[in-house]
Amino acid sequence: MSRIVLATPDAAFAARVDAALDAPDGQVSRAPERVLMMDAARAVDTLTAEWEAPPEVVAVGPGLPDDVALRLAGALDERVPETVVVLVAEPSPEIFERALRAGVRDVVAPDADDAALRAAVEKAAEAAERRRSARPEPDGSGPAGRIIVVVSPKGGSGKTTVATNLAVDLAGREGDTVLVDLDVQFGDASSALQLLPEHTLTDAVAAREPDATSLKVLLSKHDASGLYVLAAPHDPVEGEQIPAERAATAIELLAKEFRYVVVDTSAGLAEHTLAALEVASDLVLICSMDVPSVQGFRKTITALDQIGMTSQARHVVLNRADARVGLETSDIERTVGVAIDVELPSSRSIPLSVNQGVPVVLQDPRAPVAAALRTLGDRFASAPAEREGGGLFGRRRRKR
Ligand SMILES: Nc1ncnc2c1ncn2[C@@H]1O[C@H](COP(=O)(O)OP(=O)(O)OP(=O)(O)O)[C@@H](O)[C@H]1O
Ligand SMILES: [Mg+2]
């Protein structure tokens, strides 16, 4: 069975890919040319009838008009969800946007060198592999835990604050929680928890065939809450080298072992964030109280819808919800077109707690902002948080 199908009339390009991949016989094949100019849905039906099983990757183009290539990509995405589609076309912001909308995972230039072609196909094949393994198995062997990814279009909007407090809250209530710091360049979750991690994500993606047991050895423990943490790499250069697909695989493996995997991210929809979103069950979206953030937030929601990230449950958090900046919650809801689930007030307790490395739900559990953060935890936990007197954490801390 062919793992990679080239949907291109360009024989020279196909030969070049064949040589670049140097794959065993039969692994790379070409879609018959007559199929390529058919109506997209019919083309896909014809192809699937010929395939024994869906290939891992279909590369569409070059040599097809953009519209034809994108329609074919869209039809493949819709009808053969196991297969990952790569578009081979001259990259431009416009083509990227249209490609994303059509469900294409990557755009590669037709004149990309052999290494770039190989890398694009390998990345797509890894994504296909994850897509297959992420699908729930009938015997229930798929990921058991919830994967909660915290996302925001803008830097400094409170992702790390929310991710660390949510993770600590869930760990305190339910145990069995791990926080993954996927802000690969500037992750600061460890510092917000006063941890000095020995191992990081760099170690977690090093193994070609990682397993949950070897990953668990790389986690740091936050003793005050029982939370486990997979820390971000030590420096930005190291961070840049983390393959997004492998980070997502690590997250999935952790979800087999932990009930909750909370993922902190960098601003926007970076490559690593998108890879995590593909395996996520829940999305915590953070908006802050200013016009650029609200606009960015609206674009983020639109982009997520366009790229088909619609299966995750969405939880919308408005941070610094009480800031007097001439915006009302209702204005924001109207602008972004979604309801706000949790409002976090501004609080001096937050920077104080960050500076001391103790999350506010532990440090100042009576603060209104800590109560609001526990309301977010309520959306995931089965056990309610104790409200007055600091609850679980208050008790724990007094014991010390
Ligand atoms: N509700 C709040 N009240 C007061 N300060 C807050 C609040 N939320 C966040 N902050 C402060 O804002 C700053 C940015 O927060 P945080 O680090 O959580 O944002 P981030 O989205 O993770 O940023 P980055 O994009 O840099 O990772 C921190 O100094 C934090 O203490
Ligand atoms: Mg952060």
Side-chain angles (χ1 to χ4, degrees), residues 186-268:
F186 299 105
D188 51 3
S190 299
S191 117
L193 294 165
Q194 229 182 12
L195 293 172
L196 293 170
E198 196 182 327
H199 300 288
T200 70
L201 203 54
T202 302
D203 308 299
V205 299
R208 258 224 159 261
E209 289 182 6
D211 59 66
T213 314
S214 54
L215 276 182
K216 278 171 100 175
V217 178
L218 306 174
L219 306 177
S220 311
K221 184 145 186 217
H222 183 245
D223 287 328
S225 64
L227 172 71
Y228 286 87
V229 178
L230 180 54
H234 290 301
D235 66 67
V237 178
E238 222 183 87
E240 258 314 280
Q241 284 157 9
I242 301 284
E245 310 301 339
R246 289 215 191 170
T249 303
I251 289 170
E252 270 195 300
L253 282 172
L254 289 171
K256 288 186 195 278
E257 295 290 317
F258 289 87
R259 189 155 168 196
Y260 301 102
V261 184
V262 179
V263 183
D264 189 12
T265 64
S266 58

Side-chain angles (χ1 to χ4, degrees), residues 328 374 376:
E328 296 293 332
R374 288 194 297 271
L376 178 62

Side-chain angles (χ1 to χ4, degrees), residues 16-97:
R16 206 157 72 70
V17 175
D18 228 350
L21 296 180
D22 195 21
D25 275 356
Q27 296 263 297
V28 183
S29 68
R30 263 179 84 193
E33 249 185 89
R34 66 183 160 79
V35 175
L36 301 179
M37 296 308 284
M38 285 179 186
D39 162 74
R42 234 185 87 211
V44 173
D45 287 345
T46 311
L47 288 171
T48 45
E50 285 179 10
W51 291 332
E52 239 169 74
E56 287 172 19
V57 181
V58 176
V60 179
L64 294 171
D66 285 351
D67 285 345
V68 173
L70 287 164
R71 274 201 297 273
L72 181 58
L76 280 164
D77 182 58
E78 212 178 286
R79 290 166 183 248
V80 202
E82 305 93 317
T83 296
V84 168
V85 182
V86 174
L87 182 71
V88 186
E90 221 41 79
S92 70
E94 194 216 331
I95 213 74
F96 263 114
E97 198 192 319

Side-chain angles (χ1 to χ4, degrees), residues 155-161 181 183 186-189 264-267:
S157 51
K159 295 178 294 297
T160 303
T161 302
D181 193 346
D183 182 352
F186 299 105
D188 51 3
D264 189 12
T265 64
S266 58

Side-chain angles (χ1 to χ4, degrees), residues 308-377:
M309 297 279 184
T310 48
S311 59
Q312 308 89 351
R314 293 180 184 175
H315 312 265
V316 179
V317 174
L318 183 62
N319 195 14
R320 300 183 177 89
D322 53 348
R324 291 197 199 91
V325 290
L327 286 179
E328 296 293 332
T329 305
S330 53
D331 297 334
I332 296 176
E333 287 182 325
R334 232 187 340 270
T335 309
V336 297
V338 293
I340 301 223
D341 297 307
V342 177
E343 296 186 24
L344 299 181
S346 288
S347 167
R348 230 170 61 84
S349 305
I350 298 264
L352 281 176
S353 80
V354 171
N355 290 341
Q356 289 175 20
V358 184
V360 71
V361 291
L362 291 181
Q363 162 125 323
D364 192 1
R366 287 167 193 249
V369 71
L373 283 159
R374 288 194 297 271
T375 317
L376 178 62

